[in-house]
């Protein structure tokens, strides 16, 4: 771990205190303020953790000003063009691209763990018809810990092999659970995973084939799905990954930690934005509002109405993933000969946003969610499932972070401080006291 002898000095109430400076491998700078309270009596206050690093991590590098994103050092553009999702998942979780032998072994393990326990299948029938698939997904993932309790403790002495199996099991089963939750929502029988199909093709087959109508697996669709999942695979300390790390810091098992990540991802400011983008495009289409008027409404709302799929906490330029997804979207729709009017509205919105002073001055550019939904629609995936697709993609990142945190001797229970601003000590009046219990 690269560190330097640099120190940062803080002048506070007549005294000078020194804090170590940490330098990352891409020269990112951090000031280690763990001793701040001990030295000064003060804590840092940073709503939304805008400027707070919670760990050192060797998984993903991103530069939001330059639009750079690399997994384990590899540019995401290279991986999207030349790899399959499962290889990228392996890279994120294990730190290196799989050798041919490791690739075969990993594929074999993914096949071996692709089924879910038959008892778990019955859970699906107990959810109401309108249940959101993200709620089902998180419930199913946490339920895995009841079927596979051998990893019920987040113990440092857990054999590496057990972690590897748990990670593989989760990778494979999440795909099955996602497809089953869709089948349940449309009242069709579940389609079981097949060992002769690769990860993405297998998922598409489970989603769209039925006993009466086999699904034609088109290579262009498989490629697009691989690209989408790769682009979602990790994004360093985003909200859901931070949730996985935070919940995992209490030493809870992998399944429970990932279920927490799924819940965080569901939110419309995070992964749920992909569904909100389509809602927004449909609203514009159905209301007959012009793109210009819609954008003016957003601007006038003072933050109450958002242009979903725009803006990012760390990207202050065009999200590199959005660039790739936009091209992938145009290419796929043209190959499939899909003419989606929502794509025209999206193009118009983007062009408007990219030239409007409101968005320019706030560095608001399209993010990963802006075009992904149009691809999912073209593939036939309904919008309620979009965030589930995001979860499928993000899973290797969550696993990699859970694993990295667990292996870090400095991994502590995450417990932020606060500045209390409530009332000073008060005394209960006689009339406030309950006399009968
Ligand atoms: N539409 C309109 N205005 C916006 C948008 C937007 N999408 N995003 C930010 N703004 C405005 C805010 O109202 C604020 O304006 P102000 O300075 O006049 O008060 C300013 O831009 C700064 O916004 P913040 O909310 O402070 O920025 P923050 O970094 O906290 O938010 C976020 C990032 C949550 C992603 C935000 O841009 C947003 O809500 N976007 C829409 C939802 C979305 O697409 N989320 C997906 C993000 S990618 C991902 O998580 C996978």
């Amino acid at each position: 771990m690269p560190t330097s002898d640099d120190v940062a000095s803080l002048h506070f109430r007549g005294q000078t205190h020194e804090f170590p400076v940490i330098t990352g491998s891409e020269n990112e700078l951090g000031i280690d303020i763990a001793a701040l309270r001990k030295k000064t009596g003060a804590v840092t206050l940073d709503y939304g953790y805008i400027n707070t690093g919670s760990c050192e991590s060797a998984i993903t590098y991103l530069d939001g000003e330059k639009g750079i994103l690399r997994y384990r050092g590899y540019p995401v553009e290279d991986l999207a063009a030349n790899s399959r999702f499962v290889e990228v998942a392996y890279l994120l979780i294990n730190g290196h691209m799989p050798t041919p032998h490791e690739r075969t072994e990993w594929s074999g393990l993914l096949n071996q763990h692709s089924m879910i326990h038959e008892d778990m299948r019955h859970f699906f029938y107990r959810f109401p018809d309108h249940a959101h698939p993200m709620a089902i997904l998180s419930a199913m993932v946490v339920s895995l810990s009841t079927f596979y309790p051998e990893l019920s403790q987040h113990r440092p002495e857990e054999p590496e092999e057990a972690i590897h199996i748990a990670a593989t099991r989760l990778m494979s089963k999440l795909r099955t659970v996602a497809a089953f939750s869709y089948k349940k929502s449309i009242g069709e029988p579940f389609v079981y995973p097949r060992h002769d199909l690769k990860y993405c093709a297998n998922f598409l087959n489970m989603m769209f084939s039925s006993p009466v109508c086999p699904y034609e697996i088109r290579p262009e669709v498989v490629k697009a799905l691989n690209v989408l999942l790769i682009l979602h695979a990790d994004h360093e300390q985003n909200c859901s990954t931070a949730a996985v790390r935070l919940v995992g810091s209490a030493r809870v098992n992998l399944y429970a930690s990932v279920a927490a990540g799924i819940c965080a991802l569901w939110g419309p400011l995070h992964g749920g934005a992909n569904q909100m983008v389509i809602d927004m495009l449909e609203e514009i289409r159905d209301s007959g509002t012009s793109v210009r008027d819609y954008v003016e409404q957003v601007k006038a709302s003072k933050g109450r109405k958002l242009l979903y799929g725009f803006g990012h906490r760390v990207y202050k330029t065009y999200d590199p993933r959005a660039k790739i997804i936009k091209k992938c979207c145009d290419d796929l729709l043209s190959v499939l000969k899909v003419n989606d009017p929502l794509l025209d509205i999206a193009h118009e919105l983007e062009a408007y946003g990219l030239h409007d002073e409101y968005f320019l001055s706030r560095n608001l550019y399209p993010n990963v969610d802006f075009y992904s939904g149009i691809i999912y629609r073209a593939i036939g995936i309904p919008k309620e499932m979009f965030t589930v697709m995001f979860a499928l993609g993000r899973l290797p990142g969550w696993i990699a972070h859970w694993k990295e945190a667990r292996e870090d001797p400095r991994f502590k229970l995450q417990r932020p401080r606060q500045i209390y601003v409530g009332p000073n000590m008060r005394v209960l009046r006689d009339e406030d006291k309950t006399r009968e219990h």
Side-chain angles (χ1 to χ4, degrees):
M1 234 154 285
T3 55
S4 82
D5 295 330
D6 270 356
V7 288
S9 300
L10 173 73
H11 301 283
F12 182 68
R13 298 196 166 163
Q15 285 194 312
T16 301
H17 306 280
E18 291 194 331
F19 299 93
V21 173
I22 312 294
T23 310
S25 47
E26 293 287 342
N27 296 319
E28 287 181 290
L29 294 175
I31 300 171
D32 180 349
I33 49 79
L36 180 70
R37 187 161 176 276
K38 207 167 163 191
K39 289 184 177 180
T40 65
V43 299
T44 54
L45 179 63
D46 180 13
Y47 273 89
Y49 307 135
I50 286 180
N51 199 43
T52 296
S54 62
C55 61
E56 289 174 53
S57 176
I59 301 170
T60 287
Y61 172 67
L62 100 74
D63 181 329
E65 277 75 33
K66 294 188 185 139
I68 295 173
L69 178 61
R70 296 182 203 138
Y71 300 157
R72 302 279 188 188
Y74 297 103
V76 75
E77 292 81 0
D78 279 1
L79 294 169
N82 300 306
S83 306
R84 288 205 311 267
F85 171 61
V86 286
E87 293 155 359
V88 172
Y90 188 97
L91 167 73
L92 285 166
I93 296 169
N94 300 292
H96 63 272
M97 287 302 279
T99 61
H101 172 71
E102 287 167 336
R103 194 175 298 162
T104 312
E105 196 185 52
W106 174 236
S107 288
L109 275 177
L110 287 169
N111 272 337
Q112 189 185 324
H113 293 287
S114 59
M115 307 265 272
I116 58 171
H117 195 289
E118 278 296 290
D119 289 347
M120 247 185 117
R121 211 168 52 95
H122 298 294
F123 293 179
F124 286 98
Y125 300 111
R126 297 288 173 261
F127 288 107
D129 286 344
H130 59 269
H132 195 284
M134 284 299 274
I136 299 180
L137 197 71
S138 65
M140 288 293 178
V141 168
V142 82
S143 302
L144 283 173
S145 56
T146 65
F147 287 87
Y148 304 100
E150 65 273 23
L151 197 69
S152 63
Q153 294 292 327
H154 187 187
R155 288 188 298 252
E157 69 275 14
E158 200 78 52
E160 223 20 67
E161 185 58 18
I163 305 288
H164 186 56
I165 296 294
T168 313
R169 184 184 287 136
L170 194 46
M171 277 288 301
S172 198
K173 291 189 193 316
L174 196 75
R175 171 188 55 177
T176 309
V177 168
F180 278 21
S181 64
Y182 170 63
K183 285 296 195 190
K184 148 78 175 120
S185 74
I186 56 169
E188 280 191 9
F190 299 137
V191 175
Y192 283 74
R194 275 172 43 186
H195 284 196
D196 59 321
L197 293 176
K198 298 208 184 302
Y199 190 95
C200 287
N202 212 345
F203 173 73
L204 290 166
N205 188 62
M206 280 192 270
M207 286 281 291
F208 300 122
S209 69
S210 76
V212 288
C213 185
Y215 171 71
E216 184 202 345
I217 300 170
R218 297 191 59 165
E220 304 88 354
V221 174
V222 173
K223 171 73 187 157
L225 186 55
N226 265 295
V227 169
L228 279 176
L229 296 184
I230 288 171
L231 294 177
H232 286 85
D234 192 42
H235 213 234
E236 47 116 297
Q237 308 306 319
N238 59 88
C239 175
S240 55
T241 304
V244 169
R245 278 192 180 251
L246 186 136
V247 171
S249 80
R251 305 303 188 259
V252 76
N253 65 69
L254 175 65
Y255 308 111
S257 305
V258 166
I262 292 171
C263 292
L265 187 75
W266 189 4
L269 294 190
H270 188 18
N274 57 11
Q275 184 179 338
M276 299 301 286
V277 169
I278 298 297
D279 285 344
M280 174 183 77
L281 297 175
E282 286 174 344
E283 185 193 330
I284 295 174
R285 179 196 63 193
D286 299 342
S287 64
T289 311
S290 70
V291 161
R292 184 196 165 88
D293 286 350
Y294 193 88
V295 173
E296 292 307 322
Q297 287 169 22
V298 168
K299 285 158 60 179
S301 77
K302 300 204 179 325
R304 285 190 311 280
K305 185 170 183 150
L306 295 167
L307 198 55
Y308 282 96
F310 258 69
H312 199 276
R313 172 60 61 76
V314 286
Y315 287 123
K316 299 304 164 204
T317 182
Y318 211 105
D319 183 335
R321 303 167 300 172
K323 259 186 214 163
I324 304 170
I325 291 181
K326 182 182 181 189
K327 170 142 188 5
C328 178
C329 178
D330 289 341
D331 292 351
L332 185 71
L333 265 62
S334 135
V335 171
L336 297 183
K337 299 192 174 30
V338 170
N339 183 10
D340 189 341
L342 295 192
L343 180 62
D344 299 332
I345 299 175
H347 279 317
E348 209 185 322
L349 259 184
E350 183 194 356
Y352 203 92
L354 290 178
H355 292 98
D356 189 280
E357 181 49 27
Y358 175 94
F359 295 92
L360 288 174
S361 63
R362 289 169 177 77
N363 293 318
L364 301 172
Y365 294 89
N367 60 45
V368 69
D369 292 320
F370 195 65
Y371 283 106
S372 58
I374 310 246
I375 303 185
Y376 290 137
R377 269 165 66 89
I379 293 176
I381 295 172
K383 67 182 175 187
E384 292 73 23
M385 284 289 290
F386 289 0
T387 318
V388 170
M389 301 306 297
F390 195 148
L392 267 190
R394 184 54 54 87
L395 180 63
W398 290 333
I399 296 172
H401 282 273
W402 184 88
K403 196 165 164 272
E404 182 182 66
R406 179 184 167 276
E407 288 160 4
D408 188 339
R410 299 163 299 179
F411 188 37
K412 290 175 84 68
L413 176 75
Q414 295 191 13
R415 203 292 187 193
R417 295 271 182 173
Q418 63 165 20
I419 305 290
Y420 175 69
V421 293
N424 296 114
M425 193 174 116
R426 295 195 272 186
V427 177
L428 274 180
R429 296 169 307 172
D430 271 356
E431 58 266 42
D432 295 329
K433 292 178 182 167
T434 307
R435 310 223 175 263
E436 288 168 22
H437 290 279

